[in-house]
């Protein structure tokens, strides 16, 4: 079946540091890949997505590239802000079945001033 | 923008009570989902619905049921609440049954069963 593995947190950074949150997946065929973000006290919201190999999703300074050869979709940001503190979820929606999304367990990011 | 509204942010119920969690979306989305979120366990799918009056069990349906009589509303029912159902419940909708279509989430209902 489909699965998503993302690095455990919390990830703690100082403001303006470089961020990488690793995400790897297992799926048959060519799934669509997503990053969602959950700010404190809120539900998840879509951050970015990529629907085919070598696609790069980007939003709010965050980027992730769909790497079929390494089955990865790592999230990066060049310079984090305190306001980026949140929980980040990697997810996939695979071919077959009803495209029910599979989520990783989430990675908490804490950014200090 | 899609709006997914969950009727309560916080709910406290007693063991054995019947509990209704309501979710409404305003964008005519086909699919709706109920998840629970627990620390260290991520999101776990309880039930989902392709369309009106259609429902499918997710990974952890035991102790829950759902109702979707109208397209915009998806209700989660705890038939007899138990303390192990204390959790954050998240509702989500999706425009269509396509793998590239993202989910839109409500802000969650934090349920405490005492």
């Amino acid at each position: 079946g489909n699965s998503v593995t993302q690095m455990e947190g919390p990830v703690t950074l100082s403001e303006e540091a470089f961020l990488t949150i690793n995400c790897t997946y297992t799926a048959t065929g060519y799934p669509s890949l997503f990053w969602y973000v959950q700010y404190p006290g809120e539900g998840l919201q879509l951050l970015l997505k990529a629907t085919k190999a070598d696609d790069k999703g980007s939003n709010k300074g965050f980027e992730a590239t769909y790497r079929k050869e390494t089955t990865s979709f790592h999230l990066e940001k060049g310079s984090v802000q305190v306001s980026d503190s949140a929980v980040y979820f990697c997810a996939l929606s695979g071919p077959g079945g009803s495209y029910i999304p599979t989520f990783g367990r989430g990675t908490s990011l804490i950014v200090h001033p | 923008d899609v709006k997914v509204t969950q009727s309560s942010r916080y709910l406290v119920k007693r063991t054995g009570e019947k509990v209704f969690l309501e979710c409404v979306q305003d964008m005519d989305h086909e699919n709706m989902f109920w998840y629970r979120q627990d620390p260290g366990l991520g999101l776990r799918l309880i039930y989902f619905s392709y369309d009106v009056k259609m429902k499918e069990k997710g990974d952890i349906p035991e102790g829950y049921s759902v109702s979707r009589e109208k397209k915009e509303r998806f209700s989660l029912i705890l038939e007899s609440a138990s303390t192990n159902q204390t959790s954050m419940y998240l509702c989500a909708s999706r425009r269509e049954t396509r793998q590239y279509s993202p989910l839109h989430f409500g802000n969650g209902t934090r349920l405490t069963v005492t």
Side-chain angles (χ1 to χ4, degrees), chain A:
Chain A
N2 297 337
S3 68
V4 174
T5 303
Q6 57 182 110
M7 58 191 292
E8 288 192 27
V11 173
T12 304
L13 296 172
S14 297
E15 206 164 23
E16 299 183 3
F18 185 86
L19 168 71
T20 300
I21 300 178
N22 290 336
C23 171
T24 57
Y25 68 88
T26 302
T28 54
Y30 291 83
S32 292
L33 302 174
F34 306 85
W35 277 102
Y36 291 86
V37 59
Q38 184 179 33
Y39 298 105
E42 298 183 10
L44 282 70
Q45 56 185 272
L46 178 69
L47 182 59
L48 52 84
K49 70 176 185 180
T51 58
K52 61 182 188 294
D54 299 325
D55 262 3
K56 178 186 282 189
S58 62
N59 187 25
K60 300 181 181 180
F62 291 88
E63 293 182 341
T65 301
Y66 187 159
R67 301 285 188 200
K68 181 67 176 173
E69 63 277 10
T70 55
T71 61
S72 65
F73 193 54
H74 304 320
L75 183 68
E76 297 182 335
K77 187 176 186 184
S79 175
V80 293
Q81 306 300 312
V82 171
S83 57
D84 293 325
S85 299
V87 181
Y88 293 82
F89 291 87
C90 185
L92 71 82
S93 182
S98 48
Y99 309 122
I100 299 301
T102 300
F103 286 86
R105 292 193 173 189
T107 301
S108 174
L109 170 66
I110 301 168
V111 181
H112 293 293

Side-chain angles (χ1 to χ4, degrees), chain B residues 28-47:
Chain B
D28 201 37
H29 282 186
E30 285 183 3
N31 305 162
M32 295 189 77
F33 304 79
W34 274 108
Y35 289 90
R36 64 177 282 177
Q37 182 179 20
D38 299 288
L41 297 178
L43 272 68
R44 293 182 290 168
L45 182 64
I46 304 172
Y47 268 96

Side-chain angles (χ1 to χ4, degrees), chain B residues 17-21 33-38 41 44-48 55-67 74-90 109 111-113:
Chain B
E17 278 193 79
K18 190 168 186 176
V19 181
F20 293 85
L21 302 184
F33 304 79
W34 274 108
Y35 289 90
R36 64 177 282 177
Q37 182 179 20
D38 299 288
L41 297 178
R44 293 182 290 168
L45 182 64
I46 304 172
Y47 268 96
F48 64 97
K55 58 187 179 185
E56 296 288 340
K57 293 179 180 178
D59 300 319
I60 53 163
E62 297 78 19
Y64 303 94
S65 62
V66 290
S67 172
F74 193 36
S75 304
L76 180 69
I77 303 152
L78 286 66
E79 296 291 342
S80 177
S82 64
T83 55
N84 64 11
Q85 293 178 309
T86 291
S87 186
M88 170 70 86
Y89 290 87
L90 293 171
T109 295
L111 172 68
T112 302
V113 182

